[in-house]
Amino acid sequence: MSKSWVTRIKNVGLLATMLLIDVSIMPGMTALAASSASTTLKLIGPNAAIVAGQSPTFTVESSSNTTGWEYQFWMDSSQGWKLVQNYSTNNYYTIHDIMPGSYEIVAYALPGSSVKSHAWTSAIVTTRFVDVDSQVHLKTMPMMNNMASMEPMVQAMASNLIDPVYQFWWQGPNGHWTSSGNYSTISMITVPFYPVSPSHAGTYHVMVYAKDGNAPATPANEIWSPEMSVTVMPTVDFQLTPSLISINAGSSASLTLSQVYANDELAMGMSLDNLDSIFTITNAHGQPASGFTISGFGVTNQELVHGQYTFQNAPTLQTGTVVITAGANVSPGIYQITASDPDHMNVTSLPVHLLVNP
């Protein structure tokens, strides 16, 4: 696949910390190159992938003559930040017998005179990120309540990364790749995370990119998973009709419960079998309504407790009819009725407005 890469410059953002004599500033603090504004540095490492057990060397290269300069190296790893080499004329640092993991190596550079005068905040800084045996893969999440979700959920699992962040990509039947957005710490996603019409259902190919949370989003700092194929069913919602109905206290109203696709077409072949359909009635203030009973799916005149009744294991029907009865003592007003399905990620119908006449 192809994607546009936007280089994100890391804002080192550090405060000056005086430690001991020539221990200048820790990573996370601002280094101001006031006296050497024209000098730029680059931290160079091995071109090939680094393997655990090797001893890679990282060297500071300068855009101008830096004879007499001194260099200090810090390193972040799974063990946290550590000063690994204090100011000296050595412009390189070697990690001996490197272990699997991700590393952020930060080098500071100063003219020798600035080191002697402790002008730590004028240091120039350069950073390099290294991944050693870092990996990421995808796995599908288990079924919910022993029922497969219409939209599969996948989870990214990263190893040997510091504070990993993720970016998901998926390719639908139309062949287009879609991104989940910017990198984030969210490691689990529903594919896709928007309603799917029947024409867009089918096989989706999913992959995930991962990187160290501090690293720029460039191919050099990213790892990615193999593609995973998942089957995406059309999004199915509950629908209650009609949307508006008027009755008197002591009388009843019939509602039709259906399963529909995202485009409101009847979900042909879908069944209400074994669905724990929850009906909820609330008053105009959003509070549970009282005084109503419900009938349908083999039961009659069941009282709604705290404004709710659950039809457990409804019989196999593509649509079903329920009857809402307002008791003689129900106060006049507008009520809302919804149906929800907790087995399929709490799908909830749009509300039916029920007007109980004075």
Side-chain angles (χ1 to χ4, degrees):
M1 63 174 289
S2 63
K3 54 182 284 196
S4 298
W5 300 103
V6 178
T7 301
R8 302 171 194 169
I9 306 301
K10 178 191 173 188
N11 180 4
V12 183
L14 301 167
L15 288 177
T17 306
M18 295 299 182
L19 298 180
L20 295 173
I21 308 176
D22 56 351
V23 179
S24 61
I25 45 180
M26 294 181 61
M29 304 162 52
T30 302
L32 302 176
S35 61
S36 309
S38 61
T39 301
T40 58
L41 303 178
K42 188 174 183 180
L43 193 56
I44 303 299
N47 292 324
I50 300 173
V51 179
Q54 293 180 338
S55 298
T57 296
F58 302 91
T59 304
V60 177
E61 292 187 355
S62 173
S63 62
S64 58
N65 183 8
T66 52
T67 301
W69 282 48
E70 296 189 20
Y71 306 87
Q72 182 191 68
F73 291 84
W74 290 80
M75 185 172 70
D76 188 21
S77 67
S78 59
Q79 306 301 313
W81 282 103
K82 182 179 180 182
L83 174 64
V84 292
Q85 182 172 298
N86 214 337
Y87 274 107
S88 72
T89 56
N90 291 333
N91 67 333
Y92 61 88
Y93 171 68
T94 300
I95 306 176
H96 296 282
D97 299 321
I98 195 168
M99 299 292 291
S102 62
Y103 301 82
E104 181 178 357
I105 304 158
V106 180
Y108 293 93
L110 278 173
S113 58
S114 296
V115 174
K116 291 179 181 179
S117 63
H118 299 175
W120 311 127
T121 58
S122 63
I124 303 175
V125 62
T126 179
T127 302
R128 187 179 178 93
F129 295 84
V130 177
D131 295 325
V132 180
D133 294 342
S134 302
Q135 299 179 4
V136 62
H137 69 275
L138 289 169
K139 72 172 186 177
T140 55
M141 299 302 293
M143 294 185 299
M144 302 180 63
N145 299 328
N146 296 319
M147 298 185 69
S149 172
M150 299 296 176
E151 298 170 343
M153 299 184 70
V154 296
Q155 184 174 19
M157 307 288 291
S159 59
N160 298 325
L161 280 180
I162 303 174
D163 300 325
V165 290
Y166 305 95
Q167 183 186 65
F168 293 85
W169 289 81
W170 58 85
Q171 182 189 48
N174 61 5
H176 297 158
W177 284 94
T178 302
S179 167
S180 61
N182 294 331
Y183 273 97
S184 76
T185 56
I186 297 173
S187 62
M188 185 170 60
I189 192 171
T190 300
V191 178
F193 51 68
Y194 44 78
V196 177
S197 65
S199 61
H200 287 87
T203 299
Y204 280 62
H205 304 287
V206 189
M207 63 186 304
V208 64
Y209 284 76
K211 68 179 186 70
D212 184 306
N214 288 332
T218 62
N221 297 314
E222 294 172 312
I223 59 175
W224 51 90
S225 71
E227 287 185 16
M228 169 186 285
S229 296
V230 296
T231 300
V232 176
M233 302 291 289
T235 304
V236 177
D237 292 324
F238 270 179
Q239 183 182 75
L240 276 178
T241 54
S243 59
L244 175 64
I245 197 165
S246 175
I247 61 175
N248 297 320
S251 60
S252 303
S254 294
L255 301 175
T256 300
L257 174 65
S258 307
Q259 289 183 297
V260 296
Y261 293 131
N263 58 2
D264 289 336
E265 291 181 4
L266 192 63
M268 302 303 294
M270 296 300 296
S271 170
L272 298 177
D273 188 25
N274 296 325
L275 297 184
D276 292 341
S277 308
I278 301 176
F279 279 74
T280 302
I281 304 180
T282 56
N283 61 24
H285 303 289
Q287 300 168 334
S290 60
F292 291 88
T293 60
I294 191 169
S295 302
F297 300 113
V299 300
T300 57
N301 296 325
Q302 298 296 307
E303 182 179 356
L304 283 81
V305 179
H306 301 299
Q308 284 192 338
Y309 181 79
T310 301
F311 290 101
Q312 295 182 339
N313 297 326
T316 303
L317 292 170
Q318 191 168 335
T319 63
T321 299
V322 297
V323 176
I324 304 293
T325 301
N329 295 323
V330 170
S331 300
I334 297 178
Y335 297 82
Q336 285 193 346
I337 306 171
T338 58
S340 60
D341 171 18
D343 291 326
H344 282 92
M345 301 182 67
N346 289 320
V347 171
T348 302
S349 69
L350 292 176
V352 169
H353 292 88
L354 173 65
L355 174 61
V356 177
N357 298 313

